[in-house]
DNA sequence: ATACGTTAAGTGATAATGTCACTTAAAACG
DNA sequence: CGTTTTAAGTGACATTATCACTTAACGTAT
């Protein structure tokens, strides 16, 4: 079966769970396809499934009253939605919103099955814990970035990670602002500065990197 | 036994684990007392125990290169150190530092015992997951606060939570800045403004609230 | 009790970022 | 082709951060 191989590849820790442990995730879970732009969960939502993303990407954001947003993280191929899981268990209000950024293929494991696996399979537990730990650590990095790192550096980093000299980045300044937790105007001005220095070329909905090295020199050596 | 009752009170989800499940946490764990000001873990440290805090408090901070710090969260009585746990499992570098804020009494459960409990006790799993979820959600709130909330409001909130009209807050402006992820000078100026309005009275190492209601009016109604 | 070193807090200038109230321009669509 | 929508630009101003200090309060040793 094709899907099984894909899953095993994406979730190496699940090998045991699918194989020798006698629990077969595929039998007890459901494939879901979710179109782009769907709000997968809102603040305060309850979650009834443990979700594994097979393909596509989900962004998790919080919003302030004044409408400003910040992307907390993305869940991509091979990732699981730890926050929905934790929201299921914890009594606190779920403080974020998940939106698909592309068509998404996911595997939904119902809560009781999830709990059974947690008890029976060491491999499954490891997988779940690994996701949790990663998320926690990434969130801490986000806090660090937001409170310490300067915007030009964060912006340069984003550009370098998401584009290169021949692959332009297709996004709006607003989306970039949300991604970095800043304001559109600030991003626009910063990009304009980069453009004036000849490092990027801007057009509506598109950013082309024209001088990779100059942008890279902005980053601290540890990146 | 006194300690057992204390633990059961602090970690209600552990009831089952200590009682009927046949695993006795007290037998397989070790009490530790840690003096105030001890660095419990550094960035990159490995952790060999799952830690439950019985009494006292640990603060978890990150530091920027320029020396600025921010408190990520505090672990107090009844809390567990999820980050050390996750650091044990995840391959990523541990991105924070833990420092005891007072003398701390903790219960250290060695890794193998921890893993055994995770397999055998549903209650223990719940406890662990609950801690994780709470931490994740609190970190998200922190991101929200840092990126959206104005400093005067965050400061007022802190003052109201940590002091009252007859119980002054004993802390330095520097510590406050770290707590809120700001700079000392900014905190000093903001506090001075509060003082000019007659809301607080400042002296070295001490902040007295003189007008609780005025401070409270600064906060959004949802708090 | 006074002097001295240490730590906490204050200050002014300047830079970086965020906010507001718009305007201008590009694309999308009938 | 003209009209909506959506994206991006702009100037003025507010807030927060940074730097390079100064001043004040406290602890300690004589």
């Amino acid at each position: 079966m094709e899907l099984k191989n894909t899953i095993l590849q994406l979730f190496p820790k699940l090998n045991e769970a699918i194989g020798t442990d006698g629990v077969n995730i595929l039998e007890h879970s459901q494939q879901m396809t979710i179109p782009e732009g769907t709000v997968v969960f809102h603040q305060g939502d309850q979650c009834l499934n443990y979700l594994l993303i097979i393909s596509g990407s989900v962004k998790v954001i919080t919003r302030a009253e004044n409408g400003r947003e910040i992307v907390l993280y993305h869940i991509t191929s091979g990732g699981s939605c730890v926050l929905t899981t934790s929201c299921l268990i914890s009594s606190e209000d779920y403080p974020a919103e998940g939106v698909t950024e592309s068509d998404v293929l996911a595997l939904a494991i119902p809560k009781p099955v999830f709990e059974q696996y947690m008890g029976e399979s060491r491999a499954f537990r490891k997988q779940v814990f690994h996701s949790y730990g990663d998320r926690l650590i990434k969130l801490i990095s986000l806090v660090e970035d937001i409170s310490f790192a300067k915007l030009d550096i964060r912006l340069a980093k984003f550009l370098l990670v998401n584009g290169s000299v021949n692959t332009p980045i297709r996004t709006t300044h607003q989306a970039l602002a949300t991604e970095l937790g800043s304001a559109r105007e600030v991003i626009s001005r910063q990009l304009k500065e980069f453009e004036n220095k000849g490092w990027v070329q801007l057009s509506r909905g598109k950013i082309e990197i024209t001088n990779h090295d100059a942008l890279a020199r902005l980053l601290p050596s540890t990146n």
Side-chain angles (χ1 to χ4, degrees), chain A:
Chain A
M1 189 199 276
E2 189 47 59
L3 183 60
K4 177 166 176 173
N5 287 332
T6 311
I7 293 172
L8 284 177
Q9 230 182 326
L10 290 176
F11 306 96
K13 294 241 164 47
L14 288 183
N15 245 306
E16 196 190 326
I18 293 184
T20 56
D21 268 37
V23 282
N24 189 319
I25 284 184
L26 286 175
E27 274 175 27
H28 298 286
S29 61
Q30 207 192 341
Q31 291 174 53
M32 320 173 46
T33 53
I34 309 164
E36 178 176 350
T38 308
V39 176
V40 188
F41 50 88
H42 309 82
Q43 176 163 355
D45 262 15
Q46 258 213 331
C47 171
L48 303 171
N49 298 293
Y50 182 71
L51 286 176
L52 299 176
I53 309 293
I54 310 295
S55 71
S57 150
V58 178
K59 70 176 171 184
V60 178
I61 62 176
T62 38
R63 210 189 307 275
E65 292 92 25
N66 66 357
R68 241 182 88 198
E69 293 176 357
I70 182 168
V71 173
L72 295 169
Y73 55 86
H74 303 265
I75 314 166
T76 52
S77 183
S80 65
C81 189
V82 288
L83 197 47
T84 43
T85 314
S86 94
C87 134
L88 188 137
I89 292 162
S90 168
S91 53
E92 309 243 358
D93 257 8
Y94 186 46
E97 180 177 319
V99 185
T100 53
E101 298 179 290
S102 62
D103 289 356
V104 164
L105 177 58
L107 210 59
I109 304 176
K111 182 179 175 181
V113 178
F114 172 78
E115 295 195 338
Q116 188 201 334
Y117 287 178
M118 284 297 285
E120 290 178 8
S121 166
R122 197 164 169 282
F124 189 78
R125 277 200 300 276
K126 273 225 160 178
Q127 164 72 27
V128 171
F129 261 103
H130 209 292
S131 310
Y132 253 111
D134 273 9
R135 200 47 74 208
L136 213 55
I137 286 169
K138 295 230 174 81
L139 268 180
I140 289 176
S141 304
L142 178 62
V143 171
E144 243 188 279
D145 278 356
I146 294 175
S147 41
F148 301 141
K150 293 188 49 182
L151 196 68
D152 53 350
I153 293 169
R154 303 217 293 135
L155 182 55
K157 192 170 169 183
F158 182 93
L159 296 177
L160 291 173
V161 168
N162 291 281
S164 66
V165 175
N166 1 24
T167 61
I169 299 163
R170 303 215 149 265
T171 185
T172 66
H173 297 185
Q174 178 57 66
L176 233 58
T178 298
E179 188 72 37
L180 301 178
S182 177
R184 179 187 57 81
E185 300 92 319
V186 178
I187 298 292
S188 287
R189 283 168 187 143
Q190 193 64 63
L191 282 172
K192 182 62 74 181
E193 229 179 86
F194 285 173
E195 191 177 43
N196 291 339
K197 288 177 175 162
W199 298 354
V200 299
Q201 196 184 333
L202 304 176
S203 47
R204 185 187 167 106
K206 190 168 77 170
I207 304 167
E208 291 176 275
I209 296 177
T210 50
N211 188 339
H212 174 283
D213 291 354
L215 283 172
R217 271 192 296 276
L218 228 52
L219 308 193
S221 47
T222 48
N223 290 295

